Amino acid sequence: MSAPQIEIQLIASLVAIACAIPGVFLVLRKMALISDAISHSILPGIVIGFFITHDLSSPLLIFLAALTGVITVVLVEFIQKTGLVKEDTAIGLVFPAMFSIGVLLIAKNASDVHMDVDAVLLGELAFAPFERFDMGGTDMGPKSLWVIGIILLVTLALLFAFFKELKVSTFDVGLSSALGFSPVVMHYGLMSVSSVTIVGAFDAVGAILVVALMISPAATAYLLTNNLKKMILLSVLFGVFSAISGYWLAHYLDASIAGSITAMLMLLFLMVYLFAPSKGLIAVLHRQKRQRIEVSLLTFLLHLNNHSEISERHINHLNEHINWQKVRSRTVLRLASDNNMILINDQVVSLTEKGKSFTAQALEYIITNKEEHIEHLKKDFFLFRG
Amino acid sequence: MEPKIAVSIDDLTVAYNYKPVLWDIDLAIPEGVLMAIVGPNGAGKSTLIKAILGIIEPIAGSIAIYGKPYHKQRQLVAYVPQKGSVDWDFPTTALDVVTMGTYGSLGWIKRPGAKQKKAALEALEKVGMLSFKNRQISQLSGGQQQRIFLARALVQNASIYFMDEPFQGVDATTEKAIIIILKELRKAGKTLIVVHHDLQTVPEYFDWVTFLNVKKIATGPVSSIFNDDNLTKTYGINYKVSVQE
């Protein structure tokens, strides 16, 4: 690997980490779309900052652009508060307006601004190593590495300092406010960090793909864990994995790096969406199918419980009576006899002791709806799983 | 001797978009009562609690907790929001949610440690949920989730408890468990203010009641003011409930 290759992967990884962290909280706060709005509406801030500083990595430019991001959030909330327009509509109104101002500014000043719309949308990660940070004649590495490095350090410091406040204000706004952790302060803190991160990542991955880096690692991690800390760690891991594998995908396909990183993010999400152990689509479908069979089993057991007469308990009669297709009644019969709940004598089905007590407990649960009655059942039986 | 006033509210008006939801409320809640706030939907019951706790900014009036503004008395107050106000799919456990009750005493930045964890475990035990401490919160039933919220308030170790519909959507066992704990708290001299929906149980559960419907209709001991007259004034229809003497 050449030095620029390593530098590009390093920048991409740091961008991914810096985006993943606020991304987790945006996803949990159901504010994913806000990152889209910010990423577009910082454009006029970047252009105006560039007129003043002529340097894309100047702190003033980053500050101005991030400020435009926060102004967007304020504008969206203001429009929404009037009650004339719903929140998603307000987002959809504000960010294209801001973005268009940026596009017009670029077009009118094309000769002064070293920027084109393609770069704005997709970033220029491949060129990042060319912009060097020069300190007294010594080469200190690419400028974007420093910019995103510093942003990441600040983000990490804030995350460690305010983890508990972020958690409580995300989970329970009312309690957070009552305890004195102002949700408004936390909200704008998160919006500011998101804006600064998006500005820092903008140069590398552009306005459209930065959203993917914020939202998709968090959405993927959400399907895999029930622990906030693990969710953040997994998001970071997914971000870095996609950044590096995306870089090499782009290398082999000779395609856009940002595009390839996003493709990897989406691929990763798709895999987890399908195969995640308990929240994945396949697991959910499997569970639903199993629950249908378990409900059928209970129906069957209740029927046996209600009827002592032999004619009602003959296998053929059960088929007609409960009106199941052959396959399902066979599954249910096998399930019941595998669990020693029924005995079949001469094609006549009867409940065993275990079957009777299970049915009685299940009935009591259905009637009283008291969870404690089935806590122990959950371990012994399979009906109430999930 | 007159009992101390735990919460006093003067001329409180709260409005959403210029429409008053609470209008000129005067209310003095004596220390040590177990008080129900009753009233129809949209009467401003939750809003009253939120205004007292500074979650909503009133447009007029003043509120005092033991004579001082709420933000100076946070440590004395615990809050149980409506169960439906949070996302139970949030990636966290029962123990972690209860530990959130200790955040107020910790203040900014400081993290909960062994002492806070111990307090949270004790509170979980009190509500009979210790064996569920590592359960993801979405895996709990409605009643269990409500107990977790109650445990979180217990951990705050407050003098005044505000609870927003703690009996909503819970099973009969949980309802009994919760009312036992509330009565214990009152016995220990705490003040409890509970938004309540089930008028039938008011005389059995509470000793103090406030009728609210945008305006305050009446407030006082259940035994003397929980009657058809006040119910009719509050709910606007002819109300008949038998009050056990």
Side-chain angles (χ1 to χ4, degrees), chain A residues 30 160 164-165 167 171-172 174 178 180-181 222 226 228 370 372, chain B residues 70 74 87 89 91-92 96 103 107-111 136 152 173:
Chain A
K30 302 174 182 68
F160 280 108
K164 125 176 156 278
E165 290 80 1
K167 184 162 69 179
F171 174 62
D172 191 338
F181 306 118
Y222 182 75
N226 288 327
L228 181 56
K370 279 180 191 162
E372 57 263 37
Chain B
Y70 172 72
R74 283 187 212 282
D87 174 13
D89 285 325
T92 190
D96 196 41
Y103 288 2
W108 289 86
I109 297 177
K110 232 179 120 192
R111 299 280 190 98
Q136 208 275 321
R152 189 177 70 178
T173 326

PDB file of all heavy atoms in Angstrom, chain A residues 30 160 164-165 167 171-172 174 178 180-181 222 226 228 370 372, chain B residues 70 74 87 89 91-92 96 103 107-111 136 152 173:
ATOM      1  N   LYS A  30     -35.192   9.359  16.555  1.00  0.00           N
ATOM      2  CA  LYS A  30     -36.032   9.399  15.356  1.00  0.00           C
ATOM      3  C   LYS A  30     -35.836  10.708  14.594  1.00  0.00           C
ATOM      4  O   LYS A  30     -36.781  11.354  14.148  1.00  0.00           O
ATOM      5  CB  LYS A  30     -37.509   9.208  15.738  1.00  0.00           C
ATOM      6  CG  LYS A  30     -37.727   7.899  16.481  1.00  0.00           C
ATOM      7  CD  LYS A  30     -39.135   7.762  16.998  1.00  0.00           C
ATOM      8  CE  LYS A  30     -39.290   6.474  17.772  1.00  0.00           C
ATOM      9  NZ  LYS A  30     -38.521   6.484  19.044  1.00  0.00           N
ATOM     10  N   PHE A 160     -17.987  10.950  26.193  1.00  0.00           N
ATOM     11  CA  PHE A 160     -17.605  10.399  27.499  1.00  0.00           C
ATOM     12  C   PHE A 160     -18.122  11.273  28.628  1.00  0.00           C
ATOM     13  O   PHE A 160     -18.610  10.774  29.635  1.00  0.00           O
ATOM     14  CB  PHE A 160     -16.089  10.230  27.597  1.00  0.00           C
ATOM     15  CG  PHE A 160     -15.611   8.980  26.913  1.00  0.00           C
ATOM     16  CD1 PHE A 160     -14.908   9.041  25.721  1.00  0.00           C
ATOM     17  CD2 PHE A 160     -15.899   7.733  27.453  1.00  0.00           C
ATOM     18  CE1 PHE A 160     -14.491   7.887  25.073  1.00  0.00           C
ATOM     19  CE2 PHE A 160     -15.486   6.571  26.816  1.00  0.00           C
ATOM     20  CZ  PHE A 160     -14.778   6.650  25.628  1.00  0.00           C
ATOM     21  N   LYS A 164     -24.304   9.943  30.132  1.00  0.00           N
ATOM     22  CA  LYS A 164     -25.518   9.735  30.925  1.00  0.00           C
ATOM     23  C   LYS A 164     -26.591  10.762  30.571  1.00  0.00           C
ATOM     24  O   LYS A 164     -27.764  10.424  30.452  1.00  0.00           O
ATOM     25  CB  LYS A 164     -25.109   9.756  32.398  1.00  0.00           C
ATOM     26  CG  LYS A 164     -25.783  10.704  33.298  1.00  0.00           C
ATOM     27  CD  LYS A 164     -25.338  10.537  34.737  1.00  0.00           C
ATOM     28  CE  LYS A 164     -25.552  11.808  35.539  1.00  0.00           C
ATOM     29  NZ  LYS A 164     -24.514  12.810  35.397  1.00  0.00           N
ATOM     30  N   GLU A 165     -26.199  12.006  30.356  1.00  0.00           N
ATOM     31  CA  GLU A 165     -27.161  13.049  29.994  1.00  0.00           C
ATOM     32  C   GLU A 165     -27.771  12.770  28.611  1.00  0.00           C
ATOM     33  O   GLU A 165     -28.968  12.960  28.408  1.00  0.00           O
ATOM     34  CB  GLU A 165     -26.482  14.419  30.004  1.00  0.00           C
ATOM     35  CG  GLU A 165     -26.110  14.935  31.404  1.00  0.00           C
ATOM     36  CD  GLU A 165     -24.832  14.327  31.956  1.00  0.00           C
ATOM     37  OE1 GLU A 165     -24.197  13.511  31.264  1.00  0.00           O
ATOM     38  OE2 GLU A 165     -24.461  14.666  33.097  1.00  0.00           O
ATOM     39  N   LYS A 167     -28.077   9.884  27.244  1.00  0.00           N
ATOM     40  CA  LYS A 167     -28.941   8.714  27.346  1.00  0.00           C
ATOM     41  C   LYS A 167     -30.309   9.093  27.917  1.00  0.00           C
ATOM     42  O   LYS A 167     -31.337   8.782  27.314  1.00  0.00           O
ATOM     43  CB  LYS A 167     -28.279   7.641  28.225  1.00  0.00           C
ATOM     44  CG  LYS A 167     -29.077   6.362  28.305  1.00  0.00           C
ATOM     45  CD  LYS A 167     -28.245   5.202  28.783  1.00  0.00           C
ATOM     46  CE  LYS A 167     -27.860   5.366  30.231  1.00  0.00           C
ATOM     47  NZ  LYS A 167     -27.066   4.233  30.719  1.00  0.00           N
ATOM     48  N   PHE A 171     -33.891   8.962  26.010  1.00  0.00           N
ATOM     49  CA  PHE A 171     -34.903   7.981  26.412  1.00  0.00           C
ATOM     50  C   PHE A 171     -36.158   8.648  26.969  1.00  0.00           C
ATOM     51  O   PHE A 171     -37.274   8.268  26.615  1.00  0.00           O
ATOM     52  CB  PHE A 171     -34.312   7.023  27.449  1.00  0.00           C
ATOM     53  CG  PHE A 171     -35.316   6.064  28.030  1.00  0.00           C
ATOM     54  CD1 PHE A 171     -35.968   5.147  27.217  1.00  0.00           C
ATOM     55  CD2 PHE A 171     -35.622   6.090  29.382  1.00  0.00           C
ATOM     56  CE1 PHE A 171     -36.896   4.263  27.747  1.00  0.00           C
ATOM     57  CE2 PHE A 171     -36.553   5.211  29.914  1.00  0.00           C
ATOM     58  CZ  PHE A 171     -37.185   4.302  29.095  1.00  0.00           C
ATOM     59  N   ASP A 172     -35.982   9.628  27.843  1.00  0.00           N
ATOM     60  CA  ASP A 172     -37.128  10.175  28.565  1.00  0.00           C
ATOM     61  C   ASP A 172     -36.967  11.687  28.741  1.00  0.00           C
ATOM     62  O   ASP A 172     -36.356  12.154  29.698  1.00  0.00           O
ATOM     63  CB  ASP A 172     -37.234   9.478  29.929  1.00  0.00           C
ATOM     64  CG  ASP A 172     -38.538   9.784  30.642  1.00  0.00           C
ATOM     65  OD1 ASP A 172     -39.155  10.805  30.322  1.00  0.00           O
ATOM     66  OD2 ASP A 172     -38.925   8.999  31.524  1.00  0.00           O
ATOM     67  N   GLY A 174     -39.089  13.981  29.518  1.00  0.00           N
ATOM     68  CA  GLY A 174     -39.738  14.521  30.711  1.00  0.00           C
ATOM     69  C   GLY A 174     -38.865  14.384  31.940  1.00  0.00           C
ATOM     70  O   GLY A 174     -38.625  15.353  32.660  1.00  0.00           O
ATOM     71  N   ALA A 178     -37.025  17.192  34.260  1.00  0.00           N
ATOM     72  CA  ALA A 178     -37.330  17.285  35.687  1.00  0.00           C
ATOM     73  C   ALA A 178     -36.065  17.159  36.535  1.00  0.00           C
ATOM     74  O   ALA A 178     -35.952  17.766  37.592  1.00  0.00           O
ATOM     75  CB  ALA A 178     -38.342  16.211  36.082  1.00  0.00           C
ATOM     76  N   GLY A 180     -33.216  18.219  35.703  1.00  0.00           N
ATOM     77  CA  GLY A 180     -32.373  19.396  35.513  1.00  0.00           C
ATOM     78  C   GLY A 180     -31.380  19.273  34.376  1.00  0.00           C
ATOM     79  O   GLY A 180     -30.512  20.118  34.205  1.00  0.00           O
ATOM     80  N   PHE A 181     -31.483  18.176  33.588  1.00  0.00           N
ATOM     81  CA  PHE A 181     -30.640  18.061  32.395  1.00  0.00           C
ATOM     82  C   PHE A 181     -31.466  18.566  31.210  1.00  0.00           C
ATOM     83  O   PHE A 181     -32.217  17.805  30.605  1.00  0.00           O
ATOM     84  CB  PHE A 181     -30.210  16.616  32.157  1.00  0.00           C
ATOM     85  CG  PHE A 181     -29.541  15.988  33.349  1.00  0.00           C
ATOM     86  CD1 PHE A 181     -30.092  14.888  33.980  1.00  0.00           C
ATOM     87  CD2 PHE A 181     -28.345  16.511  33.828  1.00  0.00           C
ATOM     88  CE1 PHE A 181     -29.484  14.318  35.075  1.00  0.00           C
ATOM     89  CE2 PHE A 181     -27.733  15.940  34.928  1.00  0.00           C
ATOM     90  CZ  PHE A 181     -28.301  14.846  35.555  1.00  0.00           C
ATOM     91  N   TYR A 222     -28.526  -1.220  15.706  1.00  0.00           N
ATOM     92  CA  TYR A 222     -29.785  -1.261  16.453  1.00  0.00           C
ATOM     93  C   TYR A 222     -30.433  -2.639  16.366  1.00  0.00           C
ATOM     94  O   TYR A 222     -31.074  -3.103  17.303  1.00  0.00           O
ATOM     95  CB  TYR A 222     -30.720  -0.188  15.899  1.00  0.00           C
ATOM     96  CG  TYR A 222     -32.047  -0.081  16.607  1.00  0.00           C
ATOM     97  CD1 TYR A 222     -32.135   0.506  17.857  1.00  0.00           C
ATOM     98  CD2 TYR A 222     -33.217  -0.546  16.016  1.00  0.00           C
ATOM     99  CE1 TYR A 222     -33.347   0.617  18.506  1.00  0.00           C
ATOM    100  CE2 TYR A 222     -34.438  -0.437  16.656  1.00  0.00           C
ATOM    101  CZ  TYR A 222     -34.499   0.144  17.903  1.00  0.00           C
ATOM    102  OH  TYR A 222     -35.700   0.252  18.542  1.00  0.00           O
ATOM    103  N   ASN A 226     -29.205  -4.784  22.450  1.00  0.00           N
ATOM    104  CA  ASN A 226     -30.144  -4.097  23.325  1.00  0.00           C
ATOM    105  C   ASN A 226     -29.409  -3.243  24.342  1.00  0.00           C
ATOM    106  O   ASN A 226     -29.914  -2.963  25.414  1.00  0.00           O
ATOM    107  CB  ASN A 226     -31.006  -5.116  24.074  1.00  0.00           C
ATOM    108  CG  ASN A 226     -31.989  -5.771  23.141  1.00  0.00           C
ATOM    109  OD1 ASN A 226     -32.468  -5.141  22.209  1.00  0.00           O
ATOM    110  ND2 ASN A 226     -32.274  -7.030  23.384  1.00  0.00           N
ATOM    111  N   LEU A 228     -26.992   0.273  24.805  1.00  0.00           N
ATOM    112  CA  LEU A 228     -26.608   1.511  24.127  1.00  0.00           C
ATOM    113  C   LEU A 228     -25.109   1.579  23.854  1.00  0.00           C
ATOM    114  O   LEU A 228     -24.670   1.967  22.774  1.00  0.00           O
ATOM    115  CB  LEU A 228     -27.062   2.707  24.960  1.00  0.00           C
ATOM    116  CG  LEU A 228     -26.752   4.091  24.385  1.00  0.00           C
ATOM    117  CD1 LEU A 228     -27.315   4.266  22.986  1.00  0.00           C
ATOM    118  CD2 LEU A 228     -27.276   5.189  25.295  1.00  0.00           C
ATOM    119  N   LYS A 370     -52.118 -12.538  33.689  1.00  0.00           N
ATOM    120  CA  LYS A 370     -51.081 -12.183  34.658  1.00  0.00           C
ATOM    121  C   LYS A 370     -49.776 -12.845  34.247  1.00  0.00           C
ATOM    122  O   LYS A 370     -49.690 -14.068  34.153  1.00  0.00           O
ATOM    123  CB  LYS A 370     -51.477 -12.659  36.067  1.00  0.00           C
ATOM    124  CG  LYS A 370     -52.425 -11.711  36.738  1.00  0.00           C
ATOM    125  CD  LYS A 370     -52.786 -12.232  38.113  1.00  0.00           C
ATOM    126  CE  LYS A 370     -53.950 -11.432  38.679  1.00  0.00           C
ATOM    127  NZ  LYS A 370     -54.596 -12.148  39.767  1.00  0.00           N
ATOM    128  N   GLU A 372     -47.034 -13.293  35.800  1.00  0.00           N
ATOM    129  CA  GLU A 372     -46.282 -14.159  36.718  1.00  0.00           C
ATOM    130  C   GLU A 372     -46.711 -15.625  36.617  1.00  0.00           C
ATOM    131  O   GLU A 372     -45.965 -16.522  36.969  1.00  0.00           O
ATOM    132  CB  GLU A 372     -46.350 -13.658  38.164  1.00  0.00           C
ATOM    133  CG  GLU A 372     -47.744 -13.500  38.733  1.00  0.00           C
ATOM    134  CD  GLU A 372     -48.209 -12.055  38.631  1.00  0.00           C
ATOM    135  OE1 GLU A 372     -47.883 -11.400  37.617  1.00  0.00           O
ATOM    136  OE2 GLU A 372     -48.902 -11.585  39.554  1.00  0.00           O
TER     137      GLU A 372
ATOM    138  N   TYR B  70     -39.002  25.454  41.881  1.00  0.00           N
ATOM    139  CA  TYR B  70     -38.691  24.044  41.639  1.00  0.00           C
ATOM    140  C   TYR B  70     -37.212  23.805  41.372  1.00  0.00           C
ATOM    141  O   TYR B  70     -36.628  22.854  41.896  1.00  0.00           O
ATOM    142  CB  TYR B  70     -39.521  23.502  40.462  1.00  0.00           C
ATOM    143  CG  TYR B  70     -39.096  22.117  40.048  1.00  0.00           C
ATOM    144  CD1 TYR B  70     -39.390  21.015  40.854  1.00  0.00           C
ATOM    145  CD2 TYR B  70     -38.353  21.902  38.882  1.00  0.00           C
ATOM    146  CE1 TYR B  70     -38.975  19.746  40.510  1.00  0.00           C
ATOM    147  CE2 TYR B  70     -37.936  20.636  38.522  1.00  0.00           C
ATOM    148  CZ  TYR B  70     -38.246  19.562  39.331  1.00  0.00           C
ATOM    149  OH  TYR B  70     -37.822  18.307  38.991  1.00  0.00           O
ATOM    150  N   ARG B  74     -35.081  20.463  43.211  1.00  0.00           N
ATOM    151  CA  ARG B  74     -35.142  19.242  42.402  1.00  0.00           C
ATOM    152  C   ARG B  74     -34.925  17.966  43.216  1.00  0.00           C
ATOM    153  O   ARG B  74     -35.576  16.959  42.985  1.00  0.00           O
ATOM    154  CB  ARG B  74     -34.068  19.282  41.319  1.00  0.00           C
ATOM    155  CG  ARG B  74     -34.400  20.160  40.156  1.00  0.00           C
ATOM    156  CD  ARG B  74     -33.342  19.974  39.086  1.00  0.00           C
ATOM    157  NE  ARG B  74     -33.113  21.199  38.332  1.00  0.00           N
ATOM    158  CZ  ARG B  74     -33.920  21.637  37.384  1.00  0.00           C
ATOM    159  NH1 ARG B  74     -34.999  20.970  37.062  1.00  0.00           N
ATOM    160  NH2 ARG B  74     -33.651  22.764  36.755  1.00  0.00           N
ATOM    161  N   ASP B  87     -39.985   5.607  24.457  1.00  0.00           N
ATOM    162  CA  ASP B  87     -39.875   4.536  23.475  1.00  0.00           C
ATOM    163  C   ASP B  87     -39.284   3.308  24.176  1.00  0.00           C
ATOM    164  O   ASP B  87     -38.110   3.288  24.501  1.00  0.00           O
ATOM    165  CB  ASP B  87     -38.959   5.003  22.341  1.00  0.00           C
ATOM    166  CG  ASP B  87     -38.682   3.894  21.342  1.00  0.00           C
ATOM    167  OD1 ASP B  87     -39.375   2.857  21.393  1.00  0.00           O
ATOM    168  OD2 ASP B  87     -37.779   4.063  20.513  1.00  0.00           O
ATOM    169  N   ASP B  89     -38.561   0.545  23.056  1.00  0.00           N
ATOM    170  CA  ASP B  89     -37.596  -0.195  22.244  1.00  0.00           C
ATOM    171  C   ASP B  89     -36.179   0.345  22.419  1.00  0.00           C
ATOM    172  O   ASP B  89     -35.243  -0.139  21.796  1.00  0.00           O
ATOM    173  CB  ASP B  89     -37.976  -0.131  20.759  1.00  0.00           C
ATOM    174  CG  ASP B  89     -39.149  -1.037  20.458  1.00  0.00           C
ATOM    175  OD1 ASP B  89     -39.232  -2.112  21.077  1.00  0.00           O
ATOM    176  OD2 ASP B  89     -39.993  -0.673  19.618  1.00  0.00           O
ATOM    177  N   PRO B  91     -32.522   0.826  23.461  1.00  0.00           N
ATOM    178  CA  PRO B  91     -31.620  -0.265  23.833  1.00  0.00           C
ATOM    179  C   PRO B  91     -31.071  -0.128  25.253  1.00  0.00           C
ATOM    180  O   PRO B  91     -29.985   0.397  25.457  1.00  0.00           O
ATOM    181  CB  PRO B  91     -30.500  -0.166  22.794  1.00  0.00           C
ATOM    182  CG  PRO B  91     -30.513   1.250  22.351  1.00  0.00           C
ATOM    183  CD  PRO B  91     -31.927   1.715  22.458  1.00  0.00           C
ATOM    184  N   THR B  92     -31.825  -0.598  26.220  1.00  0.00           N
ATOM    185  CA  THR B  92     -31.339  -0.553  27.596  1.00  0.00           C
ATOM    186  C   THR B  92     -32.087  -1.575  28.458  1.00  0.00           C
ATOM    187  O   THR B  92     -33.075  -2.154  28.022  1.00  0.00           O
ATOM    188  CB  THR B  92     -31.486   0.872  28.177  1.00  0.00           C
ATOM    189  OG1 THR B  92     -30.804   0.917  29.416  1.00  0.00           O
ATOM    190  CG2 THR B  92     -32.935   1.227  28.404  1.00  0.00           C
ATOM    191  N   ASP B  96     -30.827  -0.355  34.201  1.00  0.00           N
ATOM    192  CA  ASP B  96     -30.293   0.912  33.699  1.00  0.00           C
ATOM    193  C   ASP B  96     -31.346   2.020  33.784  1.00  0.00           C
ATOM    194  O   ASP B  96     -31.033   3.154  34.161  1.00  0.00           O
ATOM    195  CB  ASP B  96     -29.823   0.714  32.252  1.00  0.00           C
ATOM    196  CG  ASP B  96     -28.911   1.841  31.796  1.00  0.00           C
ATOM    197  OD1 ASP B  96     -28.064   2.262  32.614  1.00  0.00           O
ATOM    198  OD2 ASP B  96     -29.064   2.300  30.660  1.00  0.00           O
ATOM    199  N   TYR B 103     -29.542   9.975  38.579  1.00  0.00           N
ATOM    200  CA  TYR B 103     -28.778  10.971  37.819  1.00  0.00           C
ATOM    201  C   TYR B 103     -28.922  12.379  38.417  1.00  0.00           C
ATOM    202  O   TYR B 103     -27.987  13.168  38.393  1.00  0.00           O
ATOM    203  CB  TYR B 103     -29.228  11.010  36.350  1.00  0.00           C
ATOM    204  CG  TYR B 103     -28.825   9.813  35.518  1.00  0.00           C
ATOM    205  CD1 TYR B 103     -28.136   8.739  36.080  1.00  0.00           C
ATOM    206  CD2 TYR B 103     -29.119   9.766  34.156  1.00  0.00           C
ATOM    207  CE1 TYR B 103     -27.775   7.646  35.301  1.00  0.00           C
ATOM    208  CE2 TYR B 103     -28.747   8.682  33.368  1.00  0.00           C
ATOM    209  CZ  TYR B 103     -28.084   7.623  33.947  1.00  0.00           C
ATOM    210  OH  TYR B 103     -27.732   6.557  33.176  1.00  0.00           O
ATOM    211  N   GLY B 107     -25.795  15.038  39.354  1.00  0.00           N
ATOM    212  CA  GLY B 107     -25.500  16.271  38.617  1.00  0.00           C
ATOM    213  C   GLY B 107     -24.833  15.971  37.291  1.00  0.00           C
ATOM    214  O   GLY B 107     -24.760  14.825  36.871  1.00  0.00           O
ATOM    215  N   TRP B 108     -24.358  17.023  36.632  1.00  0.00           N
ATOM    216  CA  TRP B 108     -23.770  16.868  35.305  1.00  0.00           C
ATOM    217  C   TRP B 108     -22.478  16.060  35.363  1.00  0.00           C
ATOM    218  O   TRP B 108     -21.768  16.077  36.348  1.00  0.00           O
ATOM    219  CB  TRP B 108     -23.489  18.230  34.667  1.00  0.00           C
ATOM    220  CG  TRP B 108     -24.728  18.954  34.251  1.00  0.00           C
ATOM    221  CD1 TRP B 108     -25.490  19.767  35.044  1.00  0.00           C
ATOM    222  CD2 TRP B 108     -25.364  18.931  32.969  1.00  0.00           C
ATOM    223  NE1 TRP B 108     -26.556  20.247  34.322  1.00  0.00           N
ATOM    224  CE2 TRP B 108     -26.497  19.763  33.048  1.00  0.00           C
ATOM    225  CE3 TRP B 108     -25.082  18.296  31.746  1.00  0.00           C
ATOM    226  CZ2 TRP B 108     -27.360  19.970  31.975  1.00  0.00           C
ATOM    227  CZ3 TRP B 108     -25.926  18.512  30.662  1.00  0.00           C
ATOM    228  CH2 TRP B 108     -27.054  19.342  30.792  1.00  0.00           C
ATOM    229  N   ILE B 109     -22.197  15.371  34.304  1.00  0.00           N
ATOM    230  CA  ILE B 109     -20.929  14.686  33.997  1.00  0.00           C
ATOM    231  C   ILE B 109     -20.636  13.472  34.876  1.00  0.00           C
ATOM    232  O   ILE B 109     -20.294  12.415  34.371  1.00  0.00           O
ATOM    233  CB  ILE B 109     -19.726  15.663  34.001  1.00  0.00           C
ATOM    234  CG1 ILE B 109     -19.939  16.711  32.891  1.00  0.00           C
ATOM    235  CG2 ILE B 109     -18.400  14.923  33.784  1.00  0.00           C
ATOM    236  CD1 ILE B 109     -18.893  17.775  32.816  1.00  0.00           C
ATOM    237  N   LYS B 110     -20.807  13.585  36.224  1.00  0.00           N
ATOM    238  CA  LYS B 110     -20.465  12.464  37.099  1.00  0.00           C
ATOM    239  C   LYS B 110     -21.264  11.214  36.731  1.00  0.00           C
ATOM    240  O   LYS B 110     -22.464  11.283  36.475  1.00  0.00           O
ATOM    241  CB  LYS B 110     -20.742  12.843  38.553  1.00  0.00           C
ATOM    242  CG  LYS B 110     -19.541  12.600  39.461  1.00  0.00           C
ATOM    243  CD  LYS B 110     -19.859  13.021  40.888  1.00  0.00           C
ATOM    244  CE  LYS B 110     -19.713  11.838  41.809  1.00  0.00           C
ATOM    245  NZ  LYS B 110     -20.263  12.064  43.135  1.00  0.00           N
ATOM    246  N   ARG B 111     -20.586  10.052  36.729  1.00  0.00           N
ATOM    247  CA  ARG B 111     -21.238   8.801  36.332  1.00  0.00           C
ATOM    248  C   ARG B 111     -21.765   8.047  37.552  1.00  0.00           C
ATOM    249  O   ARG B 111     -21.179   8.133  38.627  1.00  0.00           O
ATOM    250  CB  ARG B 111     -20.224   7.886  35.642  1.00  0.00           C
ATOM    251  CG  ARG B 111     -19.614   8.438  34.398  1.00  0.00           C
ATOM    252  CD  ARG B 111     -20.546   8.269  33.217  1.00  0.00           C
ATOM    253  NE  ARG B 111     -19.834   8.602  32.000  1.00  0.00           N
ATOM    254  CZ  ARG B 111     -19.287   7.702  31.199  1.00  0.00           C
ATOM    255  NH1 ARG B 111     -19.363   6.430  31.479  1.00  0.00           N
ATOM    256  NH2 ARG B 111     -18.652   8.070  30.112  1.00  0.00           N
ATOM    257  N   GLN B 136     -34.215  -6.689  28.764  1.00  0.00           N
ATOM    258  CA  GLN B 136     -34.360  -5.530  27.891  1.00  0.00           C
ATOM    259  C   GLN B 136     -35.768  -4.967  28.089  1.00  0.00           C
ATOM    260  O   GLN B 136     -36.725  -5.732  28.209  1.00  0.00           O
ATOM    261  CB  GLN B 136     -34.137  -5.959  26.446  1.00  0.00           C
ATOM    262  CG  GLN B 136     -33.598  -4.843  25.550  1.00  0.00           C
ATOM    263  CD  GLN B 136     -34.684  -3.966  25.002  1.00  0.00           C
ATOM    264  OE1 GLN B 136     -35.732  -4.467  24.659  1.00  0.00           O
ATOM    265  NE2 GLN B 136     -34.446  -2.663  24.944  1.00  0.00           N
ATOM    266  N   ARG B 152     -37.781   3.642  39.572  1.00  0.00           N
ATOM    267  CA  ARG B 152     -36.900   4.755  39.215  1.00  0.00           C
ATOM    268  C   ARG B 152     -37.213   5.985  40.065  1.00  0.00           C
ATOM    269  O   ARG B 152     -36.320   6.737  40.446  1.00  0.00           O
ATOM    270  CB  ARG B 152     -37.077   5.086  37.724  1.00  0.00           C
ATOM    271  CG  ARG B 152     -36.070   6.066  37.205  1.00  0.00           C
ATOM    272  CD  ARG B 152     -36.232   6.292  35.734  1.00  0.00           C
ATOM    273  NE  ARG B 152     -37.450   7.019  35.437  1.00  0.00           N
ATOM    274  CZ  ARG B 152     -37.815   7.389  34.212  1.00  0.00           C
ATOM    275  NH1 ARG B 152     -37.060   7.080  33.175  1.00  0.00           N
ATOM    276  NH2 ARG B 152     -38.926   8.046  34.019  1.00  0.00           N
ATOM    277  N   THR B 173     -52.689  -7.182  39.625  1.00  0.00           N
ATOM    278  CA  THR B 173     -51.634  -7.445  40.605  1.00  0.00           C
ATOM    279  C   THR B 173     -50.702  -6.245  40.719  1.00  0.00           C
ATOM    280  O   THR B 173     -50.345  -5.826  41.830  1.00  0.00           O
ATOM    281  CB  THR B 173     -50.780  -8.665  40.175  1.00  0.00           C
ATOM    282  OG1 THR B 173     -51.621  -9.594  39.522  1.00  0.00           O
ATOM    283  CG2 THR B 173     -50.085  -9.284  41.359  1.00  0.00           C
TER     284      THR B 173
END
